[in-house]
Amino acid sequence: MYKKTYIEGNNTERKRSKLADNLEAAIQASGLKNGMTISFHHHFRSGDYVLNDVMATIAKMGYKDLKLAASSLATIHTPLIEYIKQGVITEIHTSGLRGELAQEISGGLMEKPVVIRSHGGRARAIEAGDIEIDVAFLGVPSADAYGNANGQSGKGICGSLGYAQVDALYAKHVVLITDCLKPYPNMPASINQKNVDQVVLVESIGEAEKIASGATRFTKNPKELLIAKNASEIIVHSPYFKDGFSFQTGSGGSSLAVTRFLREAMVAQNIKASFALGGITKPMVALHEEGLIEHLFDVQSFDLDAALSMKENPNHHEIDASLYANPHNKGAMTNQLNVVILSALEIDTHFNVNVITGSDGKFMGASGGHCDTAACADLTIVVAPLIRGRIPSIVDAVDTIVTPGSSVDVLVTERGIAINPRRDDLIACFKDSKLNIIPIEDLEKTARKIVGEKKRIQHGERVVGIIEYRDGSIIDVVKEVK
């Protein structure tokens, strides 16, 4: 016999609002304690106010010894330097570092090394429990009072919230921060009410112009256009350029130009792509709306056109960082990539790529999805000029390995194209090509002849950064610069 357990009075009206009075009240209610891990996302890029505002409030409230797990950090996050000095932040996990913060950390600002992870590696680490987020502070362009949020409406739209979605799913406590409160229900819900504990309404989440624009760079540089044309020639004459192929490109000058050159070949040969992936840009949206790309899978909208497209085009899909590139889930979308175009700060004669430290050995970039996509795509093409100013891009040994040479198939420069000797099939494919295909060692010698020997960076013994590969193994370390 079943015993009745209903007690009158338990079936009270559910709480219909999660609005906190202000940031301080939300932090207090979150249960944050010294030594805990807090997280943020970087969809607002250089227009982000949220991270700085939250950290200023946390510092004022007297918290110490916090671990900061941000999806990436930008030049606008310079105020973190003081919080590190004050002991508010004692550990950082991120995909990238830029600006004054990057310079200071490179010089030994922190006692513990910064841990650099790719976007897929970060998602893997969160799902595996390597990063346990106690409180996630997630800026959103719009939300209702019960926690349904998206990046498609509001004062400063950002489009996809793909990085924030992982934090919202796995953090023990989730605080949404918005400057646009919508009536319930705020749909579509990129972040769902069931995963949200509190909502805070603030005056501004960021500078709208820098949130939704400025991330992409359209080039008229003849050198970059030549690199892009050569890269597109490699793709078009490869076995992978056929109806239903898939691809991803970056937001740099040459990468964006590749998309434009590909369009010409796709139209001429009546070829359509099944999908484009990753950070979505205006040129990809244009191809999608023209019917040349069937689906766009968007983990980060790089510009306003991409952000608006996700709202207007039903086949422009928002995806989270785990679906995008987590190597340990049951099927990341990178596994379905045919072609990826990637940039490099430097690449060496073993095809190892550095995208995190500059010629001075200091942090200046981000791991992003570089090693994730390179490992998975059938054809991984790295585009780079032979030299930048008086600095060679092709060297005998990169200062920091982010993507191993085993994942890179082709290097395209304005002075020639190098195919990784591991790819016998590609070497045979382009054997009789009119393209200037030469050994990568010849490109390195040419660069050295023009600018001289690479200046060796004087490193100290102290490790200031750990570079994790996407599977959690350590692929390299960054040592302080003397």
Side-chain angles (χ1 to χ4, degrees), residues 341-419:
I341 309 293
L342 299 168
S343 59
L345 291 173
E346 57 179 9
I347 182 169
D348 66 26
T349 52
H350 298 288
F351 287 85
N352 298 310
V353 180
N354 172 21
V355 289
I356 196 74
T357 55
S359 59
D360 58 359
K362 297 180 180 180
F363 288 112
M364 65 166 292
S367 175
H370 204 284
C371 68
D372 297 313
T373 52
C376 298
D378 294 321
L379 176 60
T380 297
I381 300 173
V382 170
V383 292
L386 191 72
I387 58 174
R388 292 183 176 92
R390 300 294 298 173
I391 300 168
S393 300
I394 322 302
V395 296
D396 60 344
V398 295
D399 194 52
T400 310
I401 299 175
V402 172
T403 297
S406 57
S407 296
V408 178
D409 301 312
V410 181
L411 166 66
V412 179
T413 75
E414 79 281 12
R415 292 291 193 105
I417 299 167
I419 299 176

Side-chain angles (χ1 to χ4, degrees), residues 235 238-248 274-275 333-340 373 376-381 409 423:
I235 297 169
S238 77
Y240 309 107
F241 188 68
K242 54 190 176 183
D243 205 43
F245 84 109
S246 59
F247 72 99
Q248 176 173 335
S274 58
F275 72 89
M333 293 212 68
T334 48
N335 296 341
Q336 297 293 325
L337 267 178
N338 294 128
V339 179
V340 65
T373 52
C376 298
D378 294 321
L379 176 60
T380 297
I381 300 173
D409 301 312
R423 292 299 303 265

Side-chain angles (χ1 to χ4, degrees), residues 99-329:
E100 290 181 46
L101 177 64
Q103 295 287 307
E104 290 286 339
I105 289 174
S106 298
L109 174 65
M110 302 190 70
E111 288 187 20
K112 294 180 181 178
V114 170
V115 179
I116 301 293
R117 291 186 177 91
S118 69
H119 292 324
R122 180 179 187 267
R124 178 208 58 77
I126 291 171
E127 292 187 13
D130 296 349
I131 301 174
E132 294 186 3
I133 302 170
D134 293 295
V135 185
F137 295 96
L138 305 177
V140 292
S142 70
D144 60 41
Y146 210 47
N148 297 297
N150 65 56
Q152 302 174 33
S153 61
K155 302 175 187 176
I157 67 172
C158 66
S160 176
L161 286 169
Y163 301 124
Q165 287 176 332
V166 176
D167 298 52
L169 278 172
Y170 287 91
K172 295 171 186 173
H173 192 96
V174 175
V175 180
L176 298 187
I177 299 158
T178 188
D179 57 9
C180 181
L181 200 63
K182 294 277 191 175
Y184 182 89
N186 181 36
M187 293 290 148
S190 302
I191 295 175
N192 193 281
Q193 63 189 40
K194 69 179 182 179
N195 297 316
V196 176
D197 296 284
Q198 297 179 85
V199 180
V200 181
L201 181 63
V202 296
E203 185 177 336
S204 178
I205 56 170
E207 193 172 341
E209 292 76 15
K210 293 182 179 179
I211 289 174
S213 64
T216 52
R217 181 173 63 85
F218 297 95
T219 186
K220 294 182 180 179
N221 184 309
K223 183 191 293 186
E224 292 186 330
L225 290 173
L226 178 58
I227 292 170
K229 187 169 184 1
N230 288 339
S232 66
E233 288 290 325
I234 290 288
I235 297 169
V236 169
H237 292 97
S238 77
Y240 309 107
F241 188 68
K242 54 190 176 183
D243 205 43
F245 84 109
S246 59
F247 72 99
Q248 176 173 335
T249 66
S251 61
S254 292
S255 296
L256 283 176
V258 169
T259 306
R260 284 153 47 201
F261 284 118
L262 273 182
R263 179 197 171 277
E264 296 173 11
M266 291 169 76
V267 170
Q269 299 184 37
N270 194 28
I271 285 176
K272 296 179 181 179
S274 58
F275 72 89
L277 178 65
I280 301 302
T281 60
K282 180 179 179 179
M284 285 185 178
V285 170
L287 263 63
H288 175 57
E289 293 181 344
E290 196 176 344
L292 294 174
I293 302 174
E294 187 175 357
H295 294 274
L296 299 176
F297 291 98
D298 192 339
V299 73
Q300 180 180 19
S301 308
F302 271 126
D303 50 43
L304 184 59
D305 291 84
L308 291 173
S309 168
M310 201 172 72
K311 183 161 94 172
E312 297 165 355
N313 294 315
N315 281 347
H316 186 158
H317 315 283
E318 182 177 27
I319 62 170
D320 65 53
S322 183
L323 176 57
Y324 170 50
N326 179 353
H328 289 175
N329 68 21

